[in-house]
Amino acid sequence: MSPKNGKKSNKVMKSSSACDRHDYSYTQNRELSWLKFDNRVLDEAFDPAVPLFERLKFVSIFCSNLDEFFMVRVGGLSDLATLKRQPVDNKSNLTPAEQIARISSALPPLLQRAGTAFNDLEAQLSEHGVTRLDASTLSGEDRAFVEGYFHAYVSPIISPLVIDPRHPFPNLRNEALYLVCSLEGANESGLVGLIEVPASLPRVVSLPSVDGSYRYILLEDMILACMNTCFGMYEPQDRAVIRVIRNADIDPDGEGVEEDEDYRQHMKRILKKRLRLQPVCLTVRGELERPTLKLIRTALELPSYAVYPLDFPLDPGFVFGIEGHIPESERADLLFKPFTPQPDPAIDPDRALRDQVLEGDKLLFYPYESMNPLLDLVHQAANDEECISIRITLYRVAKQSRLCESLISAAENGKEVTVLMELRARFDEANNIAWAERLEEAGCTVIYGSEGFKCHSKICQITYRTGMAIERITLLGTGNFNEKTARLYSDFMLMTAHPGIGEDANAFFQNLALGNLNGDYRFLGVAPAGLKPLIMTGLNREIERARAGEPARVFFKLNSLTDREVIDKISEASQAGVRVEMIIRGISCLLPGIEGKTENVHIRSIVGRFLEHARVYAFGEHADTIYLSSADMMTRNTEHRVEIAYPLLDERVRAAVRGYMAAQLADNVKARELTPDGAWAHISAAQGEEPFNSQEYLLAEAYRDAAAVAHKPAGPRAAHTGADAVFNAAAATAVAPQPAAKPAASPVPSAATPAAAAAPSTTAPAPAPSPASAPATAPAPAPSPASAPVPAPSDEAAPDAQPVVPRIIEREPAHDPKARRGDAPGTVLALPRQGRVKTALALFSLGIKTLIAPKKR
């Protein structure tokens, strides 16, 4: 056999082997699915119901998402594409090189669509007094101002370069803007001029205005307008703005830490190295002659398909900076109505948070409700003489973090403060390094995640000693302990004093300190060892129910679904007759509605004003088992990170989340449905059904709820969660005792349920009595923002609902084999317990898999 034929044969054998392992009829490629998600973000720029300037911001978000996609996903694929034997994607049977080719062909229409949106929106904004000028539109006084500003502030600090055989092409920094042109001299031609746009100057330069409008020019356009004076005896010809995106997919653990090197110093070294990794993309705005563009592309070692011409500003992130300059008279028309996260109505601001959490679980729901109760609890603990320790994991924190300042105060007050700071949180490494140094200087014990396993869990535990008794309050979130994102991302934060969860959390922190990733937990599902088995066990239970002829249902709320084992188990559940409903904001490698494979799977996506970030796993026709989690169903989360899924054990908290599920499934404005061919289709409203925007509804409900509490006479507060008040109808249905004669009814409507029947009503249930509390006078909330109409209740009598028996999924006690069945009321769904030898072998296998498998991004 010739070498050439041998290579062909190997490739065929590899593809054949991959096909034998997986069924690709109901899956799609991860990268192409992500591009469809980013196109959904861009859809918001074309939605006339979204205020004009907010639509421009969605174009910026689209571009920012795309930059990160290139740096991480395309960067990683580019590395793999250089291998002689390329790994094959287990959802699409494509090699990295084939995936890059598909991406490259899918991108130009998306970029063209983004350019159309940006330019059209800028033209409309000009009619509202917000105008951007460029080099081609300058004249008269505007040109005089620009030239004066350039010579006074810009020219002294720029360093124009002439590229010729004596001056090789310089290194172009990742994401930096450069001006490039061809140059002609008296006796020389074919030269290239290059100017880096200085990052030390503001990118947006305001222009004089006499009519109250806001006019501005970008710094790169100002330099373009004055470029003729930059190169001395050389005359610029063609000219353009360029921007290079480099591979940022570098593995900090793969670089090796020196024995005498502090881990923070190691990460700083990694960040510097990332700036000079291989380019993966070049964007160009302007006109360049082919020889000039070829010289740049060749110097960067980029193929022609990696060069993307754009007709709108590169890196449009500047639009967020001009929001504050919008004329006051136009703000109401151009921006979303301002909102303030509302106080949780179940929390009395005049009482100690510790006492209130000890009385019952509290569930905060960002951004509709404020993060302040959590921040107040940590602050109060820092100054509480009975608080002896605070332990917390931090993945992404705000640059100005009240939470971290409280941790510093606690350490200075003599508390034992332990912080696991994840320095490998991509693109937040520098901020995390800075906070780690400050926390350590204040006396906190700062530890870092295990090698090869990022700690992505969001957990905090506060421990108190009262006499000889120990009390623990555990905080568990679906999103970060971050004051900034808590105003932008939709997330849950559970505050609980449940002793079982407290014991598990205590064991979790002890295991983290020891580097033990295989802890034994009863209530928590902890990756990399225990989270996926929890999901599989929940799915298996529903499969058994369906095969026994019983109602069976699963609900997942995720950011992404890529884990092949979970995907195959969901397909198995669908084939068994389990109804699987999912709301997936981003990537879905699973295709619904495929005959014989996923007919019972229904997938929706919601993209709107707030970033949907909460993860919910619910099992059962009546969602008797509900977990919240920090983890998506991605292999990186289930096998290569430290994640936590935690059960909801309080009845009203569980009912509140069921109400949240109902509101999301009722959305017919921002929701889209995934079709069997991988496209996202608009949800068709039923005849007579009013538009229902779940995010607007939840925001309006938070305002109404806060207003109701503010106008209530001072006195005891109901012992229920704030989120429960938002979803009061679902809570009332769930907690009311009902006869068992009608098993078909469910407190969580299906995706096919009309919005009018699915949405919670505005009538609150009678509050449960609570211990007396100090009188509280809450401030009157700001006016409620405009919201979607609240659907009217159905004229038909609501069917009776089955009593919901809460369950958790836990490991089976070795002495009680019957617990595996999970049929005792209010008990457990059992996971098989492994012996130490099996556990060690499983972890060893996982480590080997990590070494030999393609990197997951």
Side-chain angles (χ1 to χ4, degrees), residues 287-405:
E287 297 295 331
L288 286 179
E289 295 179 0
R290 292 186 63 181
T292 306
L293 184 58
K294 183 177 180 181
L295 185 149
I296 298 169
R297 182 174 61 79
T298 303
L300 295 172
E301 299 180 355
L302 283 172
S304 57
Y305 63 74
V307 179
Y308 298 95
L310 302 181
D311 63 348
F312 62 100
L314 310 186
D315 183 16
F318 68 87
V319 301
F320 290 91
I322 66 176
E323 180 177 334
H325 297 283
I326 296 175
E328 195 64 36
S329 60
E330 301 288 345
R331 297 183 70 84
D333 293 332
L334 299 182
L335 300 170
F336 284 128
K337 192 166 186 177
F339 87 100
T340 301
Q342 295 300 290
D344 185 327
I347 293 177
D348 187 339
D350 296 326
R351 294 182 59 209
L353 266 297
R354 171 189 173 185
D355 295 338
Q356 297 184 65
V357 176
L358 290 173
E359 292 167 0
D361 290 358
K362 302 292 184 286
L363 183 70
L364 303 180
F365 187 19
Y366 311 145
Y368 312 105
E369 294 176 346
S370 171
M371 187 183 183
N372 283 338
L374 181 148
L375 300 175
D376 292 342
L377 176 62
V378 178
H379 176 72
Q380 291 169 15
N383 297 281
D384 189 334
E385 293 183 357
E386 294 185 344
C387 174
I388 57 176
S389 74
I390 302 175
R391 294 176 290 182
I392 191 170
T393 61
L394 296 177
Y395 191 76
R396 300 187 194 275
V397 293
K399 290 184 178 179
Q400 304 294 326
S401 174
R402 179 182 160 196
L403 174 70
C404 288
E405 296 293 351

Side-chain angles (χ1 to χ4, degrees), residues 101-386:
R102 299 280 184 94
I103 292 168
S104 300
S105 62
L107 273 173
L110 283 179
L111 293 172
Q112 184 177 9
R113 186 169 185 247
T116 299
F118 192 93
N119 294 325
D120 288 351
L121 292 170
E122 276 202 327
Q124 295 179 61
L125 283 171
S126 185
E127 299 174 4
H128 291 267
V130 181
T131 305
R132 178 178 66 86
L133 279 70
D134 59 25
S136 64
T137 57
L138 289 175
S139 62
E141 293 181 357
D142 289 333
R143 176 165 286 279
F145 175 86
V146 165
E147 290 177 351
Y149 187 99
F150 174 80
H151 290 297
Y153 301 107
V154 183
S155 182
I157 66 172
I158 60 175
S159 301
L161 299 176
V162 176
I163 301 168
D164 58 22
R166 298 183 301 276
H167 301 86
F169 201 86
N171 176 69
L172 303 187
R173 295 188 300 111
N174 185 40
E175 297 186 279
L177 294 172
Y178 293 87
L179 272 52
V180 64
C181 62
S182 61
L183 298 173
E184 295 288 343
N187 301 312
E188 294 181 275
S189 62
L191 304 179
V192 173
L194 188 74
I195 302 174
E196 181 175 359
V197 178
S200 58
L201 293 178
R203 188 178 175 197
V204 175
V205 180
S206 300
L207 297 174
S209 175
V210 295
D211 58 358
S213 63
Y214 180 64
R215 302 161 69 247
Y216 67 99
I217 187 171
L218 297 179
L219 186 57
E220 62 264 31
D221 288 325
M222 176 180 286
I223 300 173
L224 274 175
C226 302
M227 186 173 277
N228 288 340
T229 66
C230 294
F231 291 97
M233 61 182 179
Y234 297 107
E235 183 178 349
Q237 303 299 309
D238 54 345
R239 58 194 72 186
V241 184
I242 64 171
R243 184 168 179 257
V244 174
I245 301 295
R246 292 182 178 272
N247 182 2
D249 188 36
I250 186 169
D251 179 10
D253 297 323
E255 294 297 306
V257 184
E258 302 294 336
E259 288 187 10
D260 58 346
E261 185 179 35
D262 180 88
Y263 192 65
R264 289 193 299 265
Q265 298 305 317
H266 168 73
M267 287 301 303
K268 290 178 181 179
R269 179 165 56 84
I270 293 298
L271 294 182
K272 290 180 180 178
K273 184 173 182 179
R274 191 164 70 187
L275 296 175
R276 300 179 65 89
L277 291 181
Q278 181 65 24
V280 293
C281 166
L282 174 69
T283 50
V284 181
R285 178 170 73 100
E287 297 295 331
L288 286 179
E289 295 179 0
R290 292 186 63 181
T292 306
L293 184 58
K294 183 177 180 181
L295 185 149
I296 298 169
R297 182 174 61 79
T298 303
L300 295 172
E301 299 180 355
L302 283 172
S304 57
Y305 63 74
V307 179
Y308 298 95
L310 302 181
D311 63 348
F312 62 100
L314 310 186
D315 183 16
F318 68 87
V319 301
F320 290 91
I322 66 176
E323 180 177 334
H325 297 283
I326 296 175
E328 195 64 36
S329 60
E330 301 288 345
R331 297 183 70 84
D333 293 332
L334 299 182
L335 300 170
F336 284 128
K337 192 166 186 177
F339 87 100
T340 301
Q342 295 300 290
D344 185 327
I347 293 177
D348 187 339
D350 296 326
R351 294 182 59 209
L353 266 297
R354 171 189 173 185
D355 295 338
Q356 297 184 65
V357 176
L358 290 173
E359 292 167 0
D361 290 358
K362 302 292 184 286
L363 183 70
L364 303 180
F365 187 19
Y366 311 145
Y368 312 105
E369 294 176 346
S370 171
M371 187 183 183
N372 283 338
L374 181 148
L375 300 175
D376 292 342
L377 176 62
V378 178
H379 176 72
Q380 291 169 15
N383 297 281
D384 189 334
E385 293 183 357
E386 294 185 344

Side-chain angles (χ1 to χ4, degrees), residues 501-738:
I501 291 177
E503 288 293 338
D504 273 6
N506 181 54
F508 173 80
F509 280 107
Q510 290 178 348
N511 287 327
L512 279 186
L514 297 173
N516 176 17
L517 301 179
N518 190 43
D520 192 8
Y521 309 100
R522 182 183 178 198
F523 291 89
L524 303 181
V526 180
L531 188 142
K532 189 186 288 189
L534 181 148
I535 297 298
M536 295 299 199
T537 301
L539 286 166
N540 282 333
R541 182 192 74 171
E542 296 308 304
I543 291 171
E544 291 175 5
R545 284 178 165 177
R547 288 172 177 167
E550 301 174 10
R553 190 171 178 215
V554 172
F555 173 89
F556 285 147
K557 171 75 161 53
L558 305 167
N559 292 338
S560 295
L561 171 63
T562 68
D563 189 300
R564 182 76 215 201
E565 293 179 24
V566 176
I567 288 172
D568 289 342
K569 181 59 69 172
I570 291 173
S571 174
E572 180 186 341
S574 173
Q575 293 173 58
V578 179
R579 182 175 181 85
V580 182
E581 293 176 311
M582 293 189 281
I583 297 177
I584 303 177
R585 186 194 78 223
I587 304 166
S588 174
C589 290
L590 174 65
L591 294 173
I594 303 299
E595 186 177 355
K597 303 295 172 62
T598 57
E599 297 104 322
N600 292 313
V601 177
H602 307 271
I603 301 177
R604 291 188 174 200
S605 173
I606 295 176
V607 176
R609 177 177 183 177
F610 305 119
L611 182 81
E612 292 292 338
H613 196 253
R615 289 88 163 188
V616 181
Y617 319 146
F619 303 94
E621 174 71 4
H622 302 287
D624 57 78
T625 306
I626 302 179
Y627 282 77
L628 303 180
S629 179
S630 60
D632 291 306
M633 289 299 102
M634 306 176 74
T635 309
R636 73 175 188 187
N637 299 88
T638 58
E639 296 183 7
H640 301 288
R641 287 187 176 182
V642 178
E643 305 272 11
I644 293 180
Y646 50 99
L648 300 182
L649 304 177
D650 181 280
E651 182 56 50
R652 288 188 175 271
V653 166
R654 203 164 45 252
V657 174
R658 284 197 293 272
Y660 164 72
M661 293 156 54
Q664 292 258 296
L665 290 171
D667 195 308
N668 58 15
V669 174
K670 292 300 181 183
R672 303 290 185 271
E673 188 168 22
L674 187 61
T675 62
D677 61 358
W680 289 102
H682 285 261
I683 303 293
S684 299
Q687 186 174 4
E689 185 180 35
E690 293 189 20
F692 182 73
N693 183 325
S694 61
Q695 290 189 352
E696 288 185 1
Y697 172 77
L698 297 175
L699 184 59
E701 280 295 283
Y703 269 86
R704 281 193 285 267
D705 192 58
V709 171
H711 293 93
K712 243 176 113 176
R717 290 177 181 243
H720 59 84
T721 69
D724 177 45
V726 175
F727 306 117
N728 39 62
T733 302
V735 300
Q738 301 287 351

